[in-house]
Structures are given as structure tokens and as C-alpha cells.
Amino acid sequence: MWAFLRSTVRVAASPRGGHAFPMLRMMGLWALVATASGCEAPEVLAPLRLGAQPAIAAPSGAAVPAPLRRLTRQQHHRSVLALFPTHGLTDTPGLRFPADETAGPFLTNVRQPVAPLQVDLYAAAAADLAARVTAAPADVERLVAGCNRFRGDEFCGTTALHRLARRAWRRPLDEAEQAALTSLYQQGAAGGGGLRGGLALGIEALLSSPSFLYLVEPGEPTSGGRLELTGFALASRLSFFLWNEGPDDALLDAAERGELDTAEGLAAQAWRLLKDERAAPQLGRFHLEWLGLGGLDTLEKDTRRYPFFTQETRDALKAETLDFVDTVLRRSDGRLETLLSAPFTLAREPALRVYGVDPPMRFTPGLPVGLDPAQRAGLLTQPAWLAAQANPATTSPVHRGLFVVTNLLCIPLGSPPPGVDVTPIGVDPTGQKTRRQLVERHTSDPACAGCHRLIDPIGLVFERYDAVGAWRTSDLDDRQPIDTRVTITTGSDLDGPVDDPVTLVRKLARSQRVKDCAVRQWYRFALGRQETAEDEVELATLTARFRASDGHVPDLLVALVTSDAFRTRLP
């Protein structure tokens, strides 16, 4: 432990362009020593540390497409919760909609047309939610709270519907829409339905409207042949990007005042949204999807080998990644290099078992725990990623290497040739070959060698971690020592000899290729689509900005939302 603390002090004391080791900048050495050694640590994570607001993006003149986006399952779910925050909703029909599409590793819905079955599902979901939020008299009173009831049920009911519509449709209603909503209220209230019936029919209409289900993005023509998005369209883009739900009243009010019509006003609102706690799960979601952790909640492991890998463990591994991302991006130095190289965790107790660390005395979940820097460094050495990129009983060098090549280096690879055996690599039944030797056979097959020369060496470096991410020195099956020495040849600044996983992830953390790929991944995430040739001008501008910021992620996000690609679109 004290060797680790001494190494931490040396890192913190070394000049790195003003960027000291983030744990020390975040909370001071005492908190690290206290937490790691089991002493009682003070509360240190409360203040947000985003620092000064970054400057806006430089104009690029990019004119890029913007296909009509339909809400994802999570966006539908979170938007409903935000519309009815006092109704105690936890489960909504949106969580059971058909699976979303993807753009790269990220969930979105821009390609497939809506089938009749999906239309029926949306209608049924709207009817179900309308019934649930008006089920009891207390629910109805929550909807009309603040209205002078002496003015009558119709006035209070239509006022509540108009207020909900502004949030649900993410813009003000025009006179015709207000009249139509009032007419729906009257229909629902007629025949004994009263206030409850009027509200229920109006809410059902709001939630089944394309104005709720799609990100409708109107704009005004500019001299460059682009459409400059309206303030309300930008409010929706911004809130779904940073919160994964519709804009709040403050953001809609800013749009109505015209504050989002300037890059400066948009940057100010982006910074406000990032400082809000609603940004934490969305920043975490980016990293869960980027790291391929979408299936972590149901990930299965061989119960004979890993009996402790229960739902509690899966939840702890996911929480560890989310807490770590939030700590680095919103409470520390915000740098991509820190995400990929910091030797600490904010693990819960089941995750600490995977690390082989006993919980310190008076251990408080959510406070940092120092890890052996010779074994752990950032996201790619956390058990969540290592377990997700492995088989139930054994590791998978191919999956781990493929992820790094495609998701961190943005090197596109095609599908395996037809007829190639893609069965997971097991154990040599003769006992004469190690798992490494079995993996290396890929490069002797001309049909496989082209891709596997890129993939396999990187994956083999991670063989120090077993199928749940625990450190090991020998293979559980063949009992042979683990050899992680490789030479990487990807045509990037990652290339060269690598001896162990921590050396590799530190090279990844410093890599310009990884920084450039991260820009591309955030771009896909923000715009909800795969990039096209028209996007390359903007991507080059953002990439230069990210490099100049030394990989500061919040700076990149503000630059992205103030870019021409975010604020405009092709007709």
C-alpha cells in the first residue's frame, strides 16, 4: 500500500502541463491515504469541479445531414418520468418497446420505418400512461396543482394540458393546437368523465403525437444552403444529448428568449446541464455503450468457477463504472487520459472481491479506493469491461482485441469471411498447446490473418485478467504461466512492443489516435447517427480542438454543441 502511495506522490509532483494526478487535484492526498488505508475519510466529493466554462467552437462551415430521429426506449422512459415527476412512476411501457437501432456502438432510431405494430405499441403506451397518471383523485390534483380551482375544472384541466404539451412537445403550442387540445379535453370530460376524463384523453393525445415521439427539428434557411435550427430544436438536441430526456422549463424559457440562437447562449446552457446531476447517468450511458456494456445487467458466468458472480455483483460492476466516469468528468480533471489510466476505483464491496481487495474499515461506497498501479489503470482494467468482453468460463482475447481496434482506434473491420469457424477458443484437448498458441493460429490462416494481426496481439495483452476481470498469473485450464508480451501493428501510434496490460492502457491513454476516435464516437452519440463524408470537415475541427485541450472531455462536449454540425442541418 505505501509503495502505491509513494508512486502516487511522485506522479502528482511531476510536471504534466498543469495537470496533476486527478485524485490529488480532486480531494487531496489525505483523502486518498485515509480511504485506501482504512482510516475514516472526510466527505470530499460533494462540490462539482467543472472549472471555467470552455470557449465555444470555431465555425467550420459544415453542412451535414440530420435524419429524423425517433425516441429510443430510454429517452421515451426518461421523458415520461420528467413529465410526471411527482407521480412515483418507475416502470413505463417505453422500456418494453422493440430494440433500438445503433450508430456505431450507440443506441438511436433513424433508419427503420415505423411498422404498424410499433404504432399500436405507441398508442397503447400512451393510453396506459394516461390512465396511470389520472388513476386516483390525488393524481389528478398533482396535474392541476397551482391552479385556482374556483375558475372551474375546464380552465384548470386545459391549463394543465397546455403546460404539459410545452414540455412533451418541447416547444410552445400554436393557437390551432391549443384549440384542438381544449376540444379533446371537452370530449373526455363529457358524459361524466369530468376533470379526470378530460385530462386522460388529452395526455393520451400528447404522448401518442409525433411531436413527442420524434425529434422534430425545424430551421430557417441560411445563405450557405443550410437550415439554422430554431432555439426549441436546439433545446431538444441539447437536452437529449446531455440528459437523455426532453428539456426542462429553464431550457425552454431560454429558447423562447432567443438565448440559444447564439453559440455563447448555447454554451452557457450546455454548461448548466453538465453541472446538473441529470448529466451523470447520461455521461455514464455514453461510456457503457462505448465500452460494450449494454448487456452487463444480464451477463452470465460459469457458476462453478465464479459462484459469487450474482446480480448484486453485476450491479456493483456497473455502478463502479458509472461512479468512476462521473468522478473523472464532473468532479476531477475531465480528461480522457485519466479515464483510461487512473489507478483507483469507487467500487462497491462485491466488485472489490474481484480486485482481491478487502474493504477498508468503515468503508463507504462511493469513496475512492487506491489499486495496485502495476495491475490496474482506468476503464479497461475494470472488471465490468473485462467480464463483458469474455466468455462465461474463459477469457476471449479476440473480443477484447476487437473492441480496442474498432471502438478505441476506430479502425473499421469487415465481417468474418463465410465459412470461417467462429467458435470460441477453448482448451487444447491434447494439453500440448496453451490458449495463446491456439489464438495465434489465426494468423496462419490467410482468410483470418488480415484482421487478426490487428486484433489478437492486443487481446492477448489482457490475458492477465480472467473471465470476470480478476488478476492472474497462470491460466486456470492449462495451468501455464500467462505470457502477455506482444508486438502491436495497427498502423497507429500504439504500435511497438508491449509487455503487460497496464503499459498498453497507458499507451492508449496517451494515443492521439484514441483521442481522435473518441471525438468521432462523441459525435455519433450527440447526433444519433453514423458520420458521412459531409461530416469530415467538422470532425477535423473538433479533433484539433480536443487535441489542443489535452483531451478535456467537457471542453469537447461544449465545442460539439456549439459547432455548425450541431446548430444547423441540410434541408
Side-chain angles (χ1 to χ4, degrees):
M1 175 56 67
W2 291 111
F4 163 61
L5 294 175
R6 285 196 296 272
S7 69
T8 301
V9 173
R10 287 197 298 272
V11 173
S14 63
R16 297 277 304 276
H19 292 285
F21 183 63
M23 286 292 291
L24 304 183
R25 294 187 55 180
M26 179 174 62
M27 62 192 63
L29 181 60
W30 161 247
L32 177 60
V33 174
T35 307
S37 61
C39 301
E40 186 171 356
E43 180 62 39
V44 291
L45 289 178
L48 294 182
R49 302 293 179 90
L50 281 173
Q53 179 176 312
I56 63 174
S60 68
V64 301
L68 186 63
R69 279 190 278 173
R70 182 165 41 89
L71 298 189
T72 65
R73 293 186 293 185
Q74 275 290 330
Q75 287 170 346
H76 188 285
H77 169 71
R78 287 178 59 85
S79 293
V80 168
L81 297 186
L83 284 172
F84 306 104
T86 63
H87 280 71
L89 298 176
T90 55
D91 178 67
T92 72
L95 296 175
R96 293 178 290 279
F97 288 160
D100 299 309
E101 304 166 17
T102 57
F106 305 112
L107 299 176
T108 188
N109 290 310
V110 295
R111 295 191 304 271
Q112 298 298 325
V114 177
L117 175 61
Q118 184 73 53
V119 175
D120 293 342
L121 289 174
Y122 283 140
D128 173 71
L129 289 165
R132 286 165 63 182
V133 299
T134 59
D139 295 323
V140 173
E141 290 301 318
R142 292 187 185 95
L143 294 171
V144 298
C147 182
N148 184 348
R149 298 301 301 278
F150 289 106
R151 302 193 67 172
D153 283 354
E154 180 170 327
F155 174 83
C156 288
T158 55
T159 298
L161 287 175
H162 293 165
R163 183 176 65 247
L164 276 172
R166 182 176 186 258
R167 289 287 306 277
W169 292 354
R170 305 176 284 276
R171 58 173 176 78
L173 277 66
D174 60 30
E175 291 185 1
E177 289 169 331
Q178 291 184 32
L181 205 53
T182 298
S183 177
L184 279 173
Y185 173 86
Q186 292 168 343
Q187 293 175 42
L195 177 62
R196 177 190 175 280
L199 285 170
L201 188 59
I203 292 170
E204 183 177 348
L206 291 179
L207 299 184
S208 59
S209 167
S211 293
F212 173 69
L213 298 170
Y214 288 86
L215 271 67
V216 181
E217 298 182 327
E220 296 295 330
T222 67
S223 57
R226 300 172 296 172
L227 294 180
E228 189 170 303
L229 296 185
T230 67
F232 291 104
L234 287 171
S236 290
R237 272 199 180 190
L238 182 60
S239 62
F240 279 109
F241 174 35
L242 296 181
W243 284 356
N244 210 33
E245 63 186 51
D248 62 358
D249 285 327
L251 189 52
L252 291 172
D253 291 343
E256 197 154 14
R257 292 191 298 266
E259 294 174 7
L260 303 189
D261 297 341
T262 66
E264 292 79 7
L266 194 58
Q269 286 297 323
W271 211 237
R272 178 181 72 85
L273 267 61
L274 278 172
K275 289 187 175 183
D276 192 286
E277 288 303 312
R278 282 170 283 189
Q282 179 68 343
L283 296 176
R285 188 176 75 89
F286 168 86
H287 289 85
L288 292 179
E289 294 180 12
W290 188 28
L291 295 173
L293 304 183
L296 185 61
D297 291 333
T298 56
L299 184 66
E300 295 293 335
K301 293 295 175 181
D302 188 324
T303 56
R304 293 168 299 177
R305 289 191 170 184
Y306 308 110
F308 60 88
F309 201 86
T310 63
Q311 188 60 51
E312 183 185 15
T313 304
R314 289 190 286 268
D315 292 343
L317 298 187
K318 183 176 181 179
E320 174 191 12
T321 297
L322 294 175
D323 289 346
F324 179 78
V325 167
D326 186 49
T327 295
V328 172
L329 293 189
R330 299 198 317 125
R331 306 173 195 273
S332 181
D333 69 355
R335 297 171 65 226
L336 178 64
E337 184 173 346
T338 304
L339 283 171
L340 295 176
S341 63
F344 70 90
T345 184
L346 291 91
R348 271 68 171 170
E349 192 167 343
L352 290 179
R353 178 172 179 175
V354 179
Y355 286 115
V357 174
D358 293 327
M361 295 170 56
R362 295 185 291 278
F363 172 64
T364 303
L367 287 181
V369 174
L371 301 172
D372 184 346
Q375 296 183 5
R376 304 290 173 173
L379 289 168
L380 298 189
T381 63
Q382 290 182 355
W385 181 77
L386 293 163
Q389 304 296 332
N391 298 315
T394 62
T395 61
S396 178
V398 172
H399 282 100
R400 290 171 176 175
L402 178 63
F403 168 86
V404 172
V405 169
T406 57
N407 283 28
L408 284 184
L409 300 177
C410 287
I411 298 175
L413 298 176
S415 300
V420 170
D421 184 6
V422 293
T423 305
I425 295 171
V427 180
D428 180 15
T430 68
Q432 297 177 355
K433 292 184 180 295
T434 65
R435 198 182 311 277
R436 174 171 179 144
Q437 290 170 326
L438 294 175
V439 170
E440 288 175 337
R441 290 192 309 184
H442 289 141
T443 56
S444 64
D445 185 342
C448 304
C451 291
H452 281 277
R453 285 196 185 101
L454 303 176
I455 296 169
D456 293 351
I458 294 174
L460 287 169
V461 177
F462 289 102
E463 282 292 273
R464 281 291 185 185
Y465 307 101
D466 70 9
V468 296
W471 182 265
R472 62 182 185 166
T473 57
S474 62
D475 191 287
L476 185 62
D477 292 304
D478 59 34
R479 306 294 180 180
Q480 295 298 311
I482 302 292
D483 180 5
T484 59
R485 294 169 297 176
V486 301
T487 298
I488 295 173
T489 54
T490 61
S492 73
D493 56 0
L494 197 66
D495 290 357
V498 173
D499 290 341
D500 59 80
V502 170
T503 299
L504 173 61
V505 296
R506 286 176 179 160
K507 289 186 72 171
L508 287 165
R510 296 189 299 268
S511 166
Q512 290 296 345
R513 180 63 181 252
V514 171
K515 289 186 176 70
D516 297 352
C517 181
V519 173
R520 194 168 293 268
Q521 300 289 20
W522 274 111
Y523 192 85
R524 294 167 177 169
F525 186 75
L527 299 182
R529 60 175 176 80
Q530 201 79 7
E531 69 275 13
T532 65
E534 291 96 333
D535 295 294
E536 293 303 323
V537 171
E538 189 71 86
L539 280 166
T541 301
L542 291 169
T543 297
R545 169 67 173 270
F546 194 48
R547 289 186 178 193
S549 75
D550 199 19
H552 190 262
V553 175
D555 182 279
L556 170 64
L557 303 189
V558 174
L560 208 163
V561 302
T562 57
S563 68
D564 289 338
F566 196 89
R567 300 175 64 206
T568 68
R569 67 176 177 88
L570 288 172

